[in-house]
Amino acid sequence: MTVARARSLPMPFAADRPAAALPDADPVVPPPPQAVAEVRAALVVDDDPGMLGEAIDALAVFPDAEVRCAGSLAEAERLVRRRHFDLALVDLGLPDGSGITLIRRLASPAPGIGDGPTLCVARTMFEDDAHLFPALAAGAQGYVLKGDAPERLREQLLAAARGEPPISPAVARRVLGFFRAHPSHVVPAGVAAGPLSPREAEVLRLVARGHTVAEAAEVLGVSENTVKAHVKRTYAKLDVRTRVGAAREARRLGILREDDHGT
Amino acid sequence: MPTPTPASPLRALRLAPGARLAAAVAVCLVSAVLCVWLAASPPWLGITFDAGPGGAVPRVAAVAGPAAQAGVRRGETLVALQTAAARTPLDSLDLLEEPDFLDTWPAMDAFFARQTRLTAQLGAPAVGLALRDAGGAERVVTVAPGRRPVSTLPLVFWAQLVFGATGCVIGVWVWTLRPADPGARVYAVTGACFLVFAHAASIYSARELALPGGLFRALSGVNHLGADLFGAALCALFLSFPRPAVGARGRALVFAAAFLWWLLDVTRVAPDQNWASRYLVMTEMLAALALALWQSWRARRAGDPAARAMLRWSGWSVALGCGAFIGLTQAVSAAGRIPPLPQGYAFGFFVLMYAGLALAVARTRVFDLDLWALRLLGWGLGIATFTALALYLVGAGQAPALQVIGLALLVALAWAPMRRLVWSRLTRRGTLPPEELVERVLPVAFAASDAERGARWQALLGALFDPLHVAALPDGAAPTEAALADDGLALVVPAVASSPALRLGHPWGGRRLFAGRHLALVRTLVRLLHAADERRRAYEVAFERGLQQGVQRGTLGERTRIARDLHDAVSSPLLAGLAPPAAAPATPAGAAGPGPDEIRRAVQQMRTIVSGTAADPAPLADAVADARYDAVRRLRAAGLVVEWPLADLGPAGETALGPEARQAFAAFCQEAVTNILRHAAARHVTCVVRTADDAFRVEIADDGVGFDPDATPAGQGLPNLHARAATLGGRVRIARGAGDRGTVVHLDVPLAAREAAA
């Protein structure tokens, strides 16, 4: 293991200097119990029977939920055409394609169709940007890694049902890094995915330093929902950027033509 | 009248489609001109009548022409017509729009006789009108009837001309599309019959007061002939559409029966109007509906979704059009009452039926009709709704024109966006934005093996169209380009992506048909796949060459490749071992094979290797931020009060931690929080992280039940805490909290020692 010291200045314990403490949420008042969305129908999409089993066990956190399973994208799409699901746990690497398309469809269904959006939690082997960003951009409410402890999975499912945005300091750092590394020139004129607004960037920076969403809201003097909205908008920009980026890349490779619209 | 009709009906069959349609339009125009001429020919006073107070005597609703010159005033009632020879008292029955509303032959004869007498009186150079005003005073005004200007013919007259012509033209239009189809031919006959009965009725419904009785009776007979044959044609239609059930002879029999019945009607052998025409027309309509249902049942049994789709259209159209007409006119008269809507307007319901039927018939040939069919129907329904509302307002509320125009605007404004919504919802299916096209195609093109590519391609087609069956086509029958087959029941796809050519049958579970835009989508996908295939092959060739030359590949491509290989070859079986069958007992300690924790750690390590960013060293401050976020979130979600000040860690916060150390630190904090949640029954948790240049310390304190560190058995996560600390090169100390309450976990990691160890 390589460990490097970036700087080495003699310094007393940081906590000994009270001025350095950052504003924090008032710790005395206990937070109100958070409402958990009712989950009556849940969908698990995974081609691995072992993973399916683990997911079904974890979905026991929703005692009222009726659980359906699909082993492929096609099977899942057949199921979601027939009925509404409150929550879906979707493997991203399915034998017949990426679960991203399914998440995108479930998380923001076409207006007027069905019973509104489905809470989606992405589940994958990989935690690199190439898997994480498209999932967040598609509207995933949670992101769990295969091989995480079962209680971790249960927690993520509950967090998604509580409406917690799918963000963590690590994710915030990576999203900030993405926007830093991809200035807005990738985005064609007229597409609403400009750079991050100062407020969006500030939310990401606060979370990156370890603030929870509630604490970030307090620091900024706004409501928790406003912070969630900032996160959502950030991911929407991410969506346009990753999608436009993918299409650009495909055009560059000569796979997609300028006039391709699939109609 | 020079009518350009062909010498024999058979000759018409040999006309080119355009000429046939033009001929139909010409016939409609000639018929309309004839109607206008007949309607305008009787002597004209210039008065528009309505049913007077109590409905007993005709009242002057509007005055123009000769009557206006003679001084007839609005609101007066017309008591009688008188000439030197005779005086004929009037009643409201003389204004009857349709003689069919009379039930018995004597009543009809009397009506026609009065019409003849009134016409004769109006034919005199001057006629006296006995008028009574609202006060009851009576006077006689002498009027010289003139020729009726065409512009004074009422709206209901023009409506019937337009309705009849529309039905006829649509019928012939469908016939020109499908000349060989007996269904289409019978359908054109219904249009012709509709023209006949609507135009015949238009003449007598447009009369001012009277028509010569003989002409009136003849027109009524023609109207009956058209209506009777129209019903027969509807029955014949559903005997031959969409699946022929009887031959030409059977259809002729239906027409012959209706014609014979009509002979009983015009010769007055039938006892009364009910038997002469009403029962026949109602029976025909009900029979047509029953036949449509029967056809639907047949199509379902034969597994013919195209026929069922067409029947849904036509069945509903007939039910809506005929049902509304019969319900509002025939059934009401049979029950002995006056219909609420002028019959001329009620003919409009048949036009709705024509729109729907036309689409149903034409759809068997032109696939894209299914969408614009709905568009047309939506438009028709919008018009119908508006017309009904406007008629209601004008009729019942006497609404001024301005209000009606306002209503029209309102309906138009509300209707347009609604229609667009429905439309976009209908068209959204089967279209994909370019980004999604790429997302869909790339996994197919870059699947690891030929077999998997084929499987993914078939799965993609399945997800897009949900066909009931998919069959591989032999090489001989393979198309070079995607194409529709069996009138849209199937779509053939050429060989691509290591998959043989395919035939997709019965899309969307057999509920819909393939249309042109689905074909376009498949063609685009096939082209994209070919392009991607080429790229992949070029890449593979280059990769081989690169390997031979010992050239280092780009790290990103390499990583993705390794990641896929790992996932497919190593991780999945490993992870499968994590979830043993529920019945099997957990692996006993010391048994052969790795335990769940070892597997998880192995997977995490692999993930760290393949995922780019996570493998790089990262500052300690980030690791603390991650741990804090996770702990605060979990504890607060459980209802605990958490105090974890976000302290500036100073330069020591920049200390770089490798992935293993970060993992260990995160796991340490997670375990500590888990222990508090599981065992401590705490309400309040405080955590402090301090750094110095040579160490960082973490202190996690709770106010829970606490425990005796010496007496607590292992297996409550404590050994794990020690293991994590050891990985970090640090030490754990677990103690009672201040005042002997709760527990405090201390983690002490000397940074200098770690640097030395590195």
Side-chain angles (χ1 to χ4, degrees):
Chain A
M1 188 195 317
T2 317
V3 177
R5 290 284 295 274
R7 272 185 290 165
S8 130
L9 287 171
M11 176 76 70
F13 282 132
D16 293 342
R17 299 173 301 142
L22 293 168
D24 197 357
D26 182 357
V28 181
V29 184
Q34 283 154 300
V36 178
E38 197 178 15
V39 177
R40 294 195 159 279
L43 172 70
V44 186
V45 190
D46 204 311
D47 58 319
D48 184 328
M51 291 287 102
L52 272 180
E54 208 180 77
I56 292 168
D57 289 347
L59 281 166
V61 295
F62 306 111
D64 296 338
E66 178 193 342
V67 180
R68 288 288 164 88
C69 300
S72 69
L73 203 55
E75 208 180 319
E77 292 196 348
R78 258 198 294 280
L79 279 175
V80 302
R81 255 198 297 271
R82 293 212 187 107
R83 58 170 304 174
H84 173 76
F85 290 98
D86 302 308
L87 183 136
L89 183 58
V90 182
D91 181 12
L92 295 187
L94 290 164
D96 55 344
S98 166
I100 298 284
T101 43
L102 181 66
I103 290 177
R104 186 172 293 132
R105 216 177 101 191
L106 289 174
S108 39
I113 295 183
D115 303 334
T118 301
L119 283 175
C120 292
V121 176
R123 198 172 187 218
T124 159
M125 276 298 298
F126 308 110
E127 59 173 339
D128 55 332
D129 292 356
H131 286 84
L132 173 68
F133 286 173
L136 293 180
Q141 274 288 316
Y143 190 90
V144 287
L145 295 170
K146 290 186 174 180
D148 272 352
E151 65 250 36
R152 194 93 195 133
L153 176 56
R154 283 197 288 273
E155 253 168 37
Q156 290 291 314
L157 290 174
L158 282 172
R162 277 196 300 266
E164 287 183 21
I167 195 168
S168 71
V171 169
R173 282 195 295 274
R174 281 156 68 177
V175 174
L176 276 171
F178 175 85
F179 276 92
R180 225 174 281 131
H182 298 81
S184 44
H185 68 76
V186 220
V187 181
V191 175
L196 290 177
S197 76
R199 257 296 150 87
E200 288 159 2
E202 207 171 347
V203 166
L204 289 178
R205 275 197 291 273
L206 284 171
V207 174
R209 286 198 338 241
H211 287 88
T212 62
V213 169
E215 290 166 354
E218 187 141 333
V219 172
L220 296 176
V222 296
S223 78
E224 211 170 311
N225 281 334
T226 307
V227 170
K228 285 180 187 171
H230 282 309
V231 172
K232 210 168 173 181
R233 240 188 334 269
T234 303
Y235 289 169
K237 289 180 181 176
L238 202 60
D239 183 34
V240 176
R241 277 163 180 248
T242 52
R243 296 232 266 169
V244 167
R248 249 173 102 91
E249 186 62 12
R251 287 207 175 94
R252 195 180 64 73
L253 290 171
I255 293 171
L256 192 70
R257 278 196 321 224
E258 286 302 323
D259 55 348
D260 278 330
H261 288 288
T263 45
Chain B
M1 179 130 313
T3 312
T5 40
S8 142
L10 283 175
R11 273 186 61 86
L13 297 175
R14 289 194 216 106
L15 284 175
R20 196 180 300 161
L21 200 59
V25 172
V27 167
C28 293
L29 282 176
V30 167
S31 169
V33 169
L34 189 66
C35 290
V36 171
W37 180 71
L38 281 174
S41 61
W44 182 61
L45 297 171
I47 305 176
T48 308
F49 292 102
D50 63 12
V57 193
R59 184 175 57 178
V60 178
V63 200
Q69 285 167 9
V72 174
R73 286 191 296 269
R74 202 169 153 262
E76 290 176 313
T77 50
L78 181 59
V79 183
L81 287 187
Q82 57 189 49
T83 48
R87 175 185 160 104
T88 315
L90 284 167
D91 68 63
S92 275
L93 208 58
D94 294 319
L95 297 177
L96 196 61
E97 183 192 11
E98 168 63 71
D100 294 359
F101 300 141
L102 300 168
D103 291 326
T104 60
W105 301 129
M108 280 185 93
D109 280 337
F111 175 76
F112 289 139
R114 286 179 61 81
Q115 287 280 315
T116 306
R117 201 159 69 219
L118 290 173
T119 313
Q121 285 196 311
L122 288 168
V127 60
L129 307 187
L131 296 163
R132 188 187 296 146
D133 64 17
E138 214 168 293
R139 63 178 181 134
V140 175
V141 176
T142 305
V143 181
R147 274 202 71 79
R148 184 171 194 176
V150 171
S151 61
T152 62
L153 290 167
L155 185 62
V156 68
F157 168 78
W158 300 110
Q160 288 171 93
L161 289 192
V162 171
F163 291 157
T166 309
C168 181
V169 168
I170 292 181
V172 174
W173 169 68
V174 170
W175 180 31
T176 60
L177 284 178
R178 302 182 58 79
D181 188 332
R185 223 174 302 161
V186 176
Y187 180 57
V189 173
T190 67
C193 295
F194 180 39
L195 176 81
V196 168
F197 74 75
H199 280 196
S202 74
I203 299 168
Y204 51 74
S205 68
R207 75 189 192 280
E208 183 182 36
L209 195 57
L211 274 184
L215 174 64
F216 208 144
R217 192 174 159 183
L219 287 173
S220 173
V222 171
N223 169 262
H224 282 196
L225 178 66
D228 294 352
L229 292 182
F230 175 80
L234 273 185
C235 293
L237 177 67
F238 287 112
L239 281 171
S240 36
F241 166 87
R243 296 156 66 85
V246 299
R249 199 181 291 255
R251 287 195 297 275
L253 216 61
V254 174
F255 285 108
F259 185 74
L260 282 176
W261 197 316
W262 175 74
L263 285 180
L264 299 183
D265 171 12
V266 287
T267 55
R268 301 201 167 166
V269 173
D272 58 24
Q273 278 274 41
N274 279 344
W275 285 102
S277 65
R278 289 175 196 154
Y279 290 160
L280 173 63
V281 171
M282 278 192 279
T283 309
E284 283 172 337
M285 299 287 172
L286 289 176
L289 281 177
L291 284 169
L293 282 175
W294 172 68
Q295 282 277 12
S296 176
W297 173 78
R298 258 168 38 114
R300 183 191 300 259
R301 211 184 46 168
D304 186 347
R308 282 176 60 196
M310 287 184 285
L311 274 165
R312 258 203 296 279
W313 270 102
S314 47
W316 278 111
S317 308
V318 171
L320 196 78
C322 299
F325 179 79
I326 300 276
L328 279 174
T329 61
Q330 303 285 304
V332 173
S333 339
R337 311 183 63 164
I338 297 289
L341 185 73
Q343 172 182 268
Y345 291 126
F347 284 159
F349 291 118
F350 288 116
V351 174
L352 270 189
M353 185 190 94
Y354 271 97
L357 263 185
L359 299 166
V361 177
R363 197 176 138 154
T364 58
R365 171 171 164 144
V366 191
F367 308 111
D368 272 332
L369 277 182
D370 63 342
L371 280 177
W372 67 258
L374 288 180
R375 206 172 185 175
L376 195 67
L377 193 73
W379 173 80
L381 286 177
I383 297 291
T385 311
F386 164 65
T387 313
L389 274 172
L391 282 175
Y392 174 78
L393 276 190
V394 172
Q398 302 281 321
L402 209 61
Q403 262 181 31
V404 176
I405 291 170
L407 182 76
L409 279 174
L410 197 75
V411 171
L413 288 178
W415 184 248
M418 213 169 91
R419 205 159 54 93
R420 201 175 313 125
L421 191 82
V422 172
W423 179 241
S424 66
R425 188 185 148 170
L426 285 168
T427 47
R428 195 178 294 113
R429 282 200 203 152
T431 68
L432 296 174
E435 303 87 41
E436 197 161 335
L437 272 180
V438 175
E439 276 173 18
R440 294 285 189 128
V441 165
L442 289 189
V444 177
F446 292 102
S449 66
D450 280 359
E452 200 179 326
R453 263 199 293 283
R456 285 188 183 181
W457 171 236
Q458 294 183 19
L460 172 59
L461 290 174
L464 285 174
F465 303 119
D466 193 15
L468 279 184
H469 58 78
V470 177
L473 292 174
D475 283 344
T480 50
E481 188 158 28
L484 296 171
D486 283 357
D487 285 354
L489 272 177
L491 192 144
V492 288
V493 184
V496 72
S498 321
S499 156
L502 299 171
R503 187 178 193 281
L504 316 176
H506 298 294
W508 293 281
R511 289 187 304 278
R512 298 176 60 212
L513 299 177
F514 282 115
R517 66 211 154 82
H518 306 130
L519 179 65
L521 173 62
V522 169
R523 286 190 172 155
T524 307
L525 288 174
V526 168
R527 201 174 40 65
L528 289 179
L529 265 179
H530 278 311
D533 260 353
E534 253 164 55
R535 285 276 146 190
R536 183 177 49 81
R537 259 182 241 120
Y539 174 82
E540 278 169 1
V541 168
F543 187 73
E544 292 297 320
R545 198 177 300 139
L547 276 185
Q548 281 162 12
Q549 293 169 355
V551 175
Q552 194 73 37
R553 303 302 310 161
T555 50
L556 181 67
E558 198 73 347
R559 244 180 215 153
T560 315
R561 217 181 166 76
I562 294 172
R564 286 190 193 288
D565 289 351
L566 266 177
H567 178 260
D568 295 341
V570 187
S571 302
S572 293
L574 267 179
L575 286 169
L578 275 177
T587 317
D597 283 351
E598 280 84 359
I599 297 178
R600 288 210 163 83
R601 217 160 296 139
V603 171
Q604 270 161 5
Q605 276 168 359
M606 274 191 298
R607 179 178 300 141
T608 310
I609 295 164
V610 297
S611 64
T613 49
D616 302 330
L620 170 65
D622 286 357
V624 172
D626 292 349
R628 180 185 189 276
Y629 184 90
D630 187 66
V632 171
R633 212 173 51 90
R634 283 174 70 199
L635 290 166
R636 288 203 179 142
L640 276 70
V641 178
V642 190
E643 206 172 338
W644 183 332
L646 264 170
D648 181 359
L649 298 178
E654 299 299 315
T655 309
L657 293 187
E660 211 172 313
R662 275 210 312 280
Q663 184 62 43
F665 181 67
F668 178 88
C669 295
Q670 276 170 23
E671 300 261 0
V673 169
T674 304
N675 284 343
I676 292 171
L677 290 176
R678 281 207 187 141
H679 308 297
R683 292 180 47 236
H684 197 281
V685 176
T686 312
C687 182
V688 182
V689 178
R690 306 164 204 260
T691 56
D693 61 334
D694 61 344
F696 78 94
R697 285 176 197 154
V698 182
E699 222 181 85
I700 305 174
D702 68 67
D703 63 346
V705 293
F707 73 110
D708 184 346
D710 301 321
T712 306
Q716 289 199 347
L718 297 185
N720 274 341
L721 288 183
H722 285 285
R724 310 288 187 209
T727 310
L728 281 163
R731 261 178 334 109
V732 187
R733 197 159 48 83
I734 297 166
R736 292 290 233 172
D740 211 30
R741 279 180 58 225
T743 309
V744 187
V745 176
H746 297 272
L747 172 70
D748 205 334
V749 182
L751 294 176
R754 295 175 50 76
E755 192 173 28

